[in-house]
Amino acid sequence: MTDRLRLLVTRRLPEAVERHLAETWDTTLNPDDRPLDRAALVAAMTAYDAWMPTITDRIDAELLATPGRRVRILANYGAGVDHIDLAAARAAGVVVTNTPDVLTEATAEIAILLMLMAARRAGEGEREVRSGAWTGWHPSHLIGQGLSGKTLGLIGFGRIAQATAAKARGLGMRIRYASRSAAAPGVERALEASRAPSPQALAAECDVLSLHVPGGDETRHMVDAALLARMRPHAIVVNTARGTVIDEAALVAALTEGRIGGVGLDVHEHEPQVHPGLLAHPRAVLLPHLGSATIEARTAMGMRAAANLAAWFRGEAPGDRVA
């Protein structure tokens, strides 16, 4: 039966994942690892039973309404699904799954990396060394700030935020968070974390503000000019969530005017384009969406997506269904 089930994998995945998929189903891989254009996506809607898409595939209501659509399940490679119109998928009877949990630690590591790089001005120092501009040690050179004893504020307090908090505790940071609902008392005790009344209140009291909310209309520009205006002049903004959570024009203005101390971004509002004001500013640490980029996490993501596909093809409920 499985040899008749056709699967499209829209981007290149770790070798072990691709091998497993090819051995299990009639699998088409993306040979050049470039995002498929709209025409290719439309054609694929009528040619495959299942897709394994990624964040670079915009799957909207119009695409899901393609005449003669054959696709019945989208096993997303990644935890975030804001690139898929979930309401349209439900209306069309297309199942959508994701891959939670398996990228938690990898993304939390990147959040800590960005905090440290921005706080200790490591990006500036690395660029200086590479350019040949470094003239040697002197006492006032690239003075940054330590994180021990400082307050980490987390907007959103799900798995990745809690893993980030646990690692930050190892650096001696205090933990505050803002979320729609309070964490379980045991989680708060374990992380010595307390809840702020709102993101705005949190922004006013923290030394590092780290973002951990999903993308989508509800969180678009959650970090705007008004929220940034409440921050301390030395405070750092870190984003490993989705680029659309920040109004980057407002962020650049706050950074350029010295109203915040630095930023560390792994995601960008208009990926892969990066705001020119960020590119030009020395206090901006910019990464190319590396949150889950460990071989362990990326392989686990693929295997988790494959497990969701296998369950659905067997007539069972996928464990990670989101639509």
Side-chain angles (χ1 to χ4, degrees):
M1 176 181 176
T2 55
D3 60 348
R4 295 195 299 273
L5 295 170
R6 301 198 68 209
L7 168 66
L8 172 67
V9 181
T10 64
R11 300 299 296 270
R12 295 307 301 267
L13 305 181
E15 182 180 354
V17 176
E18 291 188 341
R19 184 170 58 250
H20 172 72
L21 297 175
E23 291 171 352
T24 308
W25 297 290
D26 180 2
T27 301
T28 298
L29 302 173
N30 182 333
D32 59 11
D33 199 27
R34 294 176 183 169
L36 301 178
D37 62 23
R38 185 71 175 189
L41 291 176
V42 170
M45 272 282 158
T46 62
Y48 295 92
D49 300 288
W51 285 10
M52 192 175 289
T54 75
I55 188 176
T56 59
D57 303 305
R58 181 62 55 182
I59 303 172
D60 56 23
E62 182 183 16
L63 187 62
L64 289 162
T66 299
R69 173 183 53 78
R70 177 174 172 177
V71 170
R72 294 173 286 158
I73 180 170
L74 303 170
N76 189 61
Y77 182 82
V81 291
D82 50 297
H83 55 292
I84 301 173
D85 187 329
L86 296 182
R90 292 187 190 98
V94 175
V95 171
V96 181
T97 65
N98 69 343
T99 61
D101 304 330
V102 293
L103 46 70
T104 298
E105 292 299 321
T107 306
E109 288 174 357
I110 288 289
I112 295 295
L113 173 67
L114 288 168
M115 291 177 207
L116 287 167
M117 288 186 70
R120 297 300 302 271
R121 303 178 66 178
E124 294 172 79
E126 201 267 353
R127 290 190 294 272
E128 186 176 284
V129 171
R130 284 187 178 274
S131 70
W134 184 41
T135 59
W137 184 88
H138 52 93
S140 59
H141 183 227
L142 290 179
I143 300 296
Q145 56 181 309
L147 295 181
S148 179
K150 301 296 177 60
T151 298
L152 169 60
L154 302 129
I155 296 183
F157 206 54
R159 298 179 184 91
I160 296 173
Q162 290 175 23
T164 300
K167 296 179 192 307
R169 288 291 300 137
L171 296 174
M173 299 188 78
R174 296 187 293 267
I175 308 300
R176 292 274 281 164
Y177 72 94
S179 67
R180 289 181 177 177
S181 56
V187 171
E188 289 193 343
R189 285 195 300 272
L191 296 173
E192 299 183 54
S194 58
R195 185 180 176 213
S198 68
Q200 291 73 24
L202 183 67
E205 65 179 77
C206 65
D207 302 291
V208 178
L209 184 68
S210 188
L211 308 178
H212 301 275
V213 293
D217 292 341
E218 290 187 10
T219 60
R220 181 174 179 80
H221 289 184
M222 171 182 281
V223 176
D224 57 9
L227 186 144
L228 290 165
R230 298 178 68 94
M231 296 190 69
R232 300 170 175 178
H234 68 274
I236 294 165
V237 176
V238 168
N239 191 9
T240 55
R242 284 289 186 263
T244 53
V245 174
I246 299 180
D247 179 347
E248 284 189 353
L251 183 69
V252 169
L255 188 61
T256 302
E257 295 165 13
R259 292 185 279 110
I260 58 174
V263 302
L265 306 178
D266 186 44
V267 290
H268 308 273
E269 187 174 2
H270 302 292
E271 291 185 17
Q273 286 75 40
V274 179
H275 195 293
L278 293 169
L279 290 171
H281 202 286
R283 292 294 187 97
V285 179
L286 307 171
L287 297 181
H289 207 142
L290 297 179
S292 63
T294 67
I295 189 61
E296 296 87 356
R298 292 280 170 90
T299 300
M301 288 163 63
M303 295 305 187
R304 185 79 169 247
N308 287 324
L309 280 174
W312 189 83
F313 282 140
R314 289 193 304 266
E316 302 171 1
D320 302 312
R321 183 171 181 171
V322 295

